[in-house]
Amino acid sequence: MTVSDGEKRKAIRERLNVVFQEVFDDDAIEIFDEMTAEDIDEWDSLMHITLVVAVEKEFDVRLNAAEIGKLENVGAMISLLQNR
Amino acid sequence: MLVSPGKRHMNLISFRFLALVAVGLLLFHSFRSLTWRRLVLLVLNVTFIASFANSPLDLFPLAAFLMLGYLFILVAHSQKSRMNFVAGIFLLLLAFVYLKRYSLFDFLQFWENPYVVVGLSFIFFRVVQIFVDTHQGALVERISALEMFNYCCNFLTFVSGPIQRFQDYREQEKQLASINITDRTAYLAFSRITNGVMKLALISTAFEWLFEWMKIHSGEASYLWATYAGAGLSYFLQLFYNFSGYMDIVVGIGFLFGFKLPENFDSPLDSENFLDFWSRWHITLSEWFKLYLFNPIVKALTRRWMRMGLVPYFGVFAYFVTFFLMGMWHGTTFMFMIYGLFLGLGMAINKFYEIEMRALLGKARFKKLRGKFLYRIFSKSLTLTYFAIALTALWMKWDTFTYVLGRLGWIGILESLGLFILVIGFIHVGYMAVRIFLARFRDHLGELDQSRSFQQIHLAARVVIVILFLISSQISMPKLIYGGF
């Protein structure tokens, strides 16, 4: 991974963190790569889609059904956004 | 008649099927060439499906459905056209509903010839998945006709799933040439298979017997509420062990061919509530509906009105629609609409309850309440009770349903409910105690459990039991309940 990749990832993480805080209405949330639905109580199927819609708006991307289905953790979400 | 009459198709615990698997395995592992192994799978799939038909004509509708799907997928691959997408979904759905002969469409002139409809529901899910993913750009590499056929008509998943995603199947299928059976794989495979046969042939059959006995006696019983609760519970357990036994068998055989099929169950009897239940019961079906129906509905609503206060209520609505349709998918008659209503309402009410309780108690206090022992036992029992009652729609006709409800009256319904909840509650507590006891027992067994000779003796004993079962059950083989859906 080059330095610019690392910087890009960091910037995405910061923007994504704000999205998480807004969607789950919790300013204390600090995301990390291994974070999954297990780590946030309200993160169920419904909130997952709400999160996806918020992410799509923030990053101006469209995620398809297969991409949404295979997002296993926050790290995977960041990688997906980095590659778009 | 939907399935060709007079034909003894291959039951998963018949000697005919085991012979097919044995010959298939020998051929499959004779050469380590991908083309050879693909061809062996093709022959296995065709032989298995042909066992359902009396003549090639019986298979024509199924083949036509597959070809229709393949054509739309080819078009979606070469151009991203919204018209092709809408037309594809519409025509595939129409063809599916027509071939399944939904009673809602009785006014239509159905094709008179008997034809094979087994497997169609699961083929439908697979075709739609490839089509949607191709259209959305998630499937870039073109799919060949052989690949499409072997995936959609895989003899292991043909009758009742699981609904494996094409991408996962393709990844495993490409590695077929390097598959080699080790001692460990064989042990795992045969353990799963013998587990499955025992669940199907012994436990499920015992509950089937109990269910039939209760059902026959419920009409004349003076304690109708008790016999109804007994029959409902027996049917639920029969269905669970039947389907989970089937899953064990196909997953086990899958290991021997180098396939890791997705699991359909994750201790559903342990579910904390109805929402949780559907993430543990028939997982691949609810995952499919989540990806291709629930998610798009919620996405469309939140895109239109992105207000966080409204989102939970979008969920209530989307759960209802998704599970109503999922329930209806199980069958073609009016009773399946009732089943769908039960599922849809159950999910919607559960979600609504969560929203209101969170608002009323606050997140933290609601979480604390959910952790309390008595609350959990009651919630678990209520969940299974609700599902067992919903399942009534699968074994009772409308006339009997209204007759039983009428005879039970409000008091009887409440008594049945109470009995259901109590019995399931006791089973839960007992089950927890047995698990704690077994965990201690396992600690004592220690290394013995891990030793190879112990595993071999254990497995040999189970194989002998299974063979005895197979011989004794040749006269009346248990049917696969989900095969009829």
Side-chain angles (χ1 to χ4, degrees):
Chain A
M1 189 186 284
T2 61
V3 178
S4 60
D5 272 348
E7 288 295 321
K8 202 175 161 192
R9 207 173 165 83
K10 196 179 158 203
I12 292 173
R13 185 189 304 276
E14 278 167 14
R15 280 168 73 191
L16 195 58
N17 205 58
V18 178
V19 175
F20 266 76
Q21 290 176 347
E22 279 171 5
V23 168
F24 292 108
D25 189 25
D26 185 352
D27 291 344
I29 289 180
E30 280 298 328
I31 59 170
F32 50 93
D33 278 1
E34 293 76 27
M35 190 181 217
T36 64
E38 298 288 314
D39 298 300
I40 299 180
D41 273 347
E42 289 89 55
W43 192 346
D44 56 10
S45 330
L46 179 64
M47 290 311 281
H48 186 71
I49 298 306
T50 316
L51 189 66
V52 166
V53 173
V55 167
E56 285 183 340
K57 271 191 181 163
E58 171 65 28
F59 292 88
D60 195 23
V61 288
R62 274 300 266 271
L63 304 181
N64 58 50
E67 286 169 329
I68 297 168
K70 72 178 181 199
L71 285 174
E72 282 170 3
N73 56 25
V74 170
M77 198 182 269
I78 295 173
S79 303
L80 184 69
L81 292 170
Q82 196 173 6
N83 296 327
R84 296 296 282 268
Chain B
M1 178 69 74
L2 292 174
V3 181
S4 302
K7 183 84 182 174
R8 275 196 67 198
H9 66 267
M10 277 191 203
N11 189 305
L12 249 68
I13 54 169
S14 65
F15 278 117
R16 280 175 74 205
F17 180 72
L18 289 184
L20 178 78
V21 171
V23 173
L25 275 172
L26 275 176
L27 291 171
F28 185 85
H29 290 283
S30 308
F31 300 102
R32 292 167 70 95
S33 136
L34 185 58
T35 315
W36 169 257
R37 292 186 169 183
R38 277 179 175 155
L39 286 174
V40 172
L41 286 177
L42 174 71
V43 173
L44 279 175
N45 297 339
V46 171
T47 312
F48 181 74
I49 296 169
S51 82
F52 289 89
N54 278 325
S55 81
L57 194 66
D58 296 356
L59 294 169
F60 173 73
L62 216 58
F65 183 83
L66 264 175
M67 282 197 284
L68 178 76
Y70 190 54
L71 276 177
F72 276 109
I73 290 165
L74 286 184
V75 176
H77 185 82
S78 54
Q79 50 167 313
K80 303 276 165 282
S81 141
R82 193 172 164 76
M83 207 180 110
N84 178 57
F85 181 70
V86 175
I89 294 290
F90 178 74
L91 282 179
L92 284 171
L93 200 59
L94 195 73
F96 173 74
V97 167
Y98 177 81
L99 290 176
K100 288 282 277 188
R101 299 181 185 225
Y102 274 81
S103 58
L104 280 173
F105 298 93
D106 269 348
F107 58 90
L108 289 174
Q109 200 68 35
F110 288 118
W111 196 34
E112 285 302 316
N113 283 6
Y115 57 87
V116 173
V117 80
V118 181
L120 183 70
S121 301
F122 291 91
I123 290 178
F124 172 78
F125 290 129
R126 295 186 186 115
V127 170
V128 170
Q129 190 248 304
I130 302 175
F131 182 51
V132 173
D133 283 2
T134 306
H135 173 77
Q136 294 186 340
L139 250 172
V140 182
E141 199 182 325
R142 192 171 155 164
I143 177 169
S144 71
L146 175 65
E147 210 178 1
M148 169 103 171
F149 178 79
N150 270 353
Y151 164 68
C152 289
C153 299
N154 182 346
F155 78 106
L156 290 173
T157 57
F158 181 75
V159 178
S160 310
I163 313 164
Q164 188 179 25
R165 284 178 71 242
F166 175 68
Q167 288 89 327
D168 297 335
Y169 170 86
R170 178 179 255 174
E171 217 170 276
Q172 294 178 9
E173 204 255 5
K174 281 182 175 170
Q175 309 296 322
L176 282 187
S178 60
I179 295 302
N180 211 0
I181 300 182
T182 60
D183 279 5
R184 182 81 192 137
T185 321
Y187 176 72
L188 286 177
F190 285 108
S191 296
R192 277 305 283 265
I193 297 167
T194 50
N195 261 359
V197 175
M198 281 195 229
K199 278 185 193 169
L200 245 166
L202 184 68
I203 310 177
S204 171
T205 307
F207 281 118
E208 184 189 1
W209 178 83
L210 203 64
F211 163 70
E212 290 294 340
W213 187 81
M214 295 265 194
K215 205 172 70 168
I216 291 165
H217 288 78
S218 61
E220 65 206 43
S222 41
Y223 293 103
L224 181 63
W225 55 277
T227 39
Y228 167 65
L233 200 57
S234 312
Y235 183 82
F236 169 46
L237 292 171
Q238 176 203 348
L239 179 69
F240 173 57
Y241 285 106
N242 185 287
F243 195 18
S244 115
Y246 158 86
M247 275 302 296
D248 286 340
I249 295 172
V250 295
V251 168
I253 298 175
F255 287 158
L256 300 173
F257 284 96
F259 284 108
K260 198 176 177 309
L261 299 176
E263 298 289 347
N264 250 342
F265 296 100
D266 174 19
S267 319
L269 303 184
D270 247 357
S271 307
E272 301 269 336
N273 53 54
F274 206 48
L275 293 165
D276 182 34
F277 179 80
W278 280 103
S279 64
R280 293 158 171 270
W281 173 280
H282 208 169
I283 299 169
T284 60
L285 179 73
S286 34
E287 275 288 310
W288 189 95
F289 272 92
K290 186 171 93 181
L291 274 185
Y292 300 106
L293 190 62
F294 178 84
N295 288 357
I297 296 175
V298 177
K299 244 182 145 181
L301 291 171
T302 36
R303 270 216 193 99
R304 179 79 181 78
W305 299 282
M306 183 58 154
R307 262 178 260 149
M308 289 315 291
L310 282 178
V311 168
Y313 298 99
F314 293 158
V316 173
F317 173 75
Y319 275 124
F320 176 77
V321 175
T322 306
F323 280 82
F324 174 61
L325 291 176
M326 197 176 102
M328 269 184 73
W329 160 82
H330 282 79
T332 56
T333 60
F334 177 67
M335 282 314 277
F336 288 90
M337 279 180 77
I338 303 285
Y339 180 57
L341 268 179
F342 264 115
L343 299 193
L345 280 175
M347 292 296 271
I349 291 170
N350 198 163
K351 187 69 207 165
F352 187 73
Y353 169 80
E354 268 190 5
I355 302 166
E356 296 308 311
M357 285 297 273
R358 269 206 190 108
L360 192 72
L361 301 176
K363 286 179 195 172
R365 276 175 66 199
F366 184 47
K367 193 182 169 189
K368 205 175 157 194
L369 176 70
R370 288 167 84 162
K372 294 217 182 287
F373 180 75
L374 274 180
Y375 180 91
R376 284 178 62 203
I377 290 292
F378 180 75
S379 176
K380 283 178 175 190
S381 307
L382 186 64
T383 302
L384 300 188
T385 300
Y386 186 84
F387 186 59
I389 291 171
L391 285 176
T392 313
L394 302 189
W395 56 269
M396 254 190 211
K397 287 185 177 147
W398 176 246
D399 296 352
T400 330
F401 191 60
T402 46
Y403 168 75
V404 168
L405 285 183
R407 257 198 71 190
L408 279 172
W410 282 109
I411 302 286
I413 291 172
L414 287 176
E415 280 171 336
S416 284
L417 257 174
L419 188 67
F420 258 127
I421 293 173
L422 264 179
V423 170
I424 296 176
F426 273 118
I427 293 174
H428 267 309
V429 176
Y431 180 62
M432 277 161 70
V434 170
R435 271 212 306 211
I436 293 168
F437 173 75
L438 281 181
R440 281 189 175 181
F441 185 63
R442 278 214 172 156
D443 287 345
H444 286 300
L445 269 177
E447 286 176 10
L448 180 63
D449 194 31
Q450 293 299 317
S451 81
R452 214 173 136 197
S453 51
F454 177 81
Q455 288 185 349
Q456 280 169 347
I457 295 167
H458 184 210
L459 188 60
R462 280 159 52 156
V463 170
V464 169
I465 294 170
V466 162
I467 290 172
L468 287 176
F469 269 130
L470 281 180
I471 294 168
S472 64
S473 64
Q474 282 306 293
I475 307 153
S476 61
M477 223 105 58
K479 62 180 188 301
L480 291 173
I481 302 179
Y482 255 85
F485 292 156

